[in-house]
Amino acid sequence: MCRAVRLVLRSGIAVATGIAAFSAVTGLYSAPASAGNPPVTLLISEEVDLQGRPLPTSPATAQLFRRLSETTGLQFRIQPYPWKRALEQAYEGEGLLFGASPTPERERKLLFSDPVYTERVSIITLCDKTFPFRQMRDLKGKTLGVVNGTSYGTEFDRLSHSLFRVENDTSRLPGRLMKLTQGRMDGLVIYTYSQDQQTIAKQINQQFLRAFPAEPAQPPRFCVLPNPVSSVSIHFAIRYESDHGLIRDINQGLKKMQQQGVLQQIYP
């Protein structure tokens, strides 16, 4: 797979068609060896287009689930929700959550797996309204767009609403970018796999023009600040009372996939 289709997990950049195992946004995936096991409800962040229509699971995420199912024998029934609701469902014991990073509040309620991969947390601005950012105090007085219910690192979460303000958004990236062009925020915060800010910016500008083709042609509007807000690890998580050894099995599967080089292929 090319790097472009693995750029962002929860912010909607370059979401491709997925792979055959996930022909539907919501469905059951299992490896042949897992046919006798009851399915595990797997809560994931819902991605939708500007019309609210569900988008397929990203190729990297679909490949992770497929290979983990093959390795562990677990069946996964995929259930997308808006991120905040997916998190709340996990708190209520309604399934296994994928895509969460640990925070003190979450760790009081959820048992986390070993890390699956690490993501960079970046700030997107209008190119003609960038600002210097090297440390959190540089965000004083700014308004930053965030996806409702998402953590962007302990320090960022702690300082939101005090050092800077946050504008809660859905995960629909084109709509968030339009709010940025309208001056409703100074920047927006996204998760990215890529470390290359030019690559990220190119994908963001292309997606905005695809979503809003009537917008007048002009030089790239959106830039990525060179210094990240943080880097966070991404995990599976489940309510403690609902675990019953599931996280142990997932950790064993992830360890085997790491030893075989599978995770490195999915998230290079």
Side-chain angles (χ1 to χ4, degrees):
M1 292 176 204
C2 67
R3 181 169 292 276
V5 297
R6 289 183 283 98
L7 197 58
V8 168
L9 178 64
R10 291 198 295 273
S11 298
I13 295 179
V15 176
T17 57
I19 58 177
F22 289 92
S23 58
V25 174
T26 305
L28 180 70
Y29 180 79
S30 61
S34 64
N37 293 340
V40 175
T41 298
L42 185 52
L43 307 167
I44 65 172
S45 179
E46 178 183 62
E47 301 291 352
V48 296
D49 63 18
L50 284 175
Q51 286 72 46
R53 296 172 298 202
L55 292 168
T57 307
S58 72
T61 303
Q63 186 178 6
L64 170 68
F65 296 162
R66 177 176 63 85
R67 296 301 295 269
L68 187 60
S69 178
E70 293 171 350
T71 302
T72 61
L74 295 168
Q75 297 184 80
F76 297 122
R77 176 177 287 118
I78 310 304
Q79 183 59 65
Y81 286 112
W83 177 248
K84 186 177 180 181
R85 185 178 175 193
L87 184 61
E88 290 170 348
Q89 291 287 97
Y91 286 161
E92 294 170 4
E94 296 298 323
L96 174 71
L97 179 67
F98 175 69
S101 55
T103 67
E105 178 186 1
R106 293 174 182 178
E107 289 184 300
R108 285 193 290 269
K109 303 175 183 179
L110 301 175
L111 176 63
F112 281 79
S113 73
D114 293 338
V116 180
Y117 64 95
T118 300
E119 286 190 322
R120 172 188 172 111
V121 178
S122 298
I123 297 177
I124 309 301
T125 69
L126 296 174
C127 292
D128 60 356
K129 293 184 179 179
T130 61
F131 52 86
F133 172 69
R134 294 179 179 84
Q135 50 194 327
M136 286 294 175
R137 66 183 183 187
D138 295 331
L139 299 177
K140 184 175 181 179
K142 303 293 185 185
T143 299
L144 300 174
V146 301
V147 174
N148 196 18
T150 297
S151 170
Y152 296 99
T154 303
E155 188 178 12
F156 182 96
D157 297 346
R158 179 177 63 85
L159 294 173
S160 62
H161 301 294
S162 57
L163 181 67
F164 54 88
R165 296 180 295 275
V166 295
E167 173 82 12
N168 285 307
D169 294 327
T170 68
S171 60
R172 303 179 194 181
L173 183 63
R176 299 179 69 199
L177 293 170
M178 180 57 78
K179 288 171 70 173
L180 184 57
T181 68
Q182 294 168 345
R184 296 172 61 182
M185 59 184 75
D186 299 294
L188 59 88
V189 189
I190 63 170
Y191 279 84
T192 68
Y193 302 149
S194 176
Q195 303 294 312
D196 183 348
Q197 66 192 79
Q198 278 76 31
T199 298
I200 300 169
K202 180 179 179 181
Q203 292 293 329
I204 288 172
N205 281 282
Q206 289 176 344
Q207 182 160 341
F208 182 79
L209 290 175
R210 286 196 299 268
F212 301 106
E215 287 291 304
Q218 56 181 289
R221 290 187 177 189
F222 306 105
C223 290
V224 182
L225 298 188
N227 295 312
V229 169
S230 62
S231 293
V232 298
S233 55
I234 301 302
H235 303 248
F236 291 89
I238 195 168
R239 181 169 168 157
Y240 285 97
E241 297 88 343
S242 303
D243 174 52
H244 306 302
L246 182 59
I247 293 297
R248 177 202 61 210
D249 293 342
I250 287 174
N251 284 342
Q252 290 174 349
L254 292 174
K255 182 177 180 180
K256 187 173 182 180
M257 291 166 66
Q258 181 78 30
Q259 292 170 340
Q260 295 173 341
V262 173
L263 287 181
Q264 297 90 320
Q265 292 173 1
I266 299 174
Y267 303 108

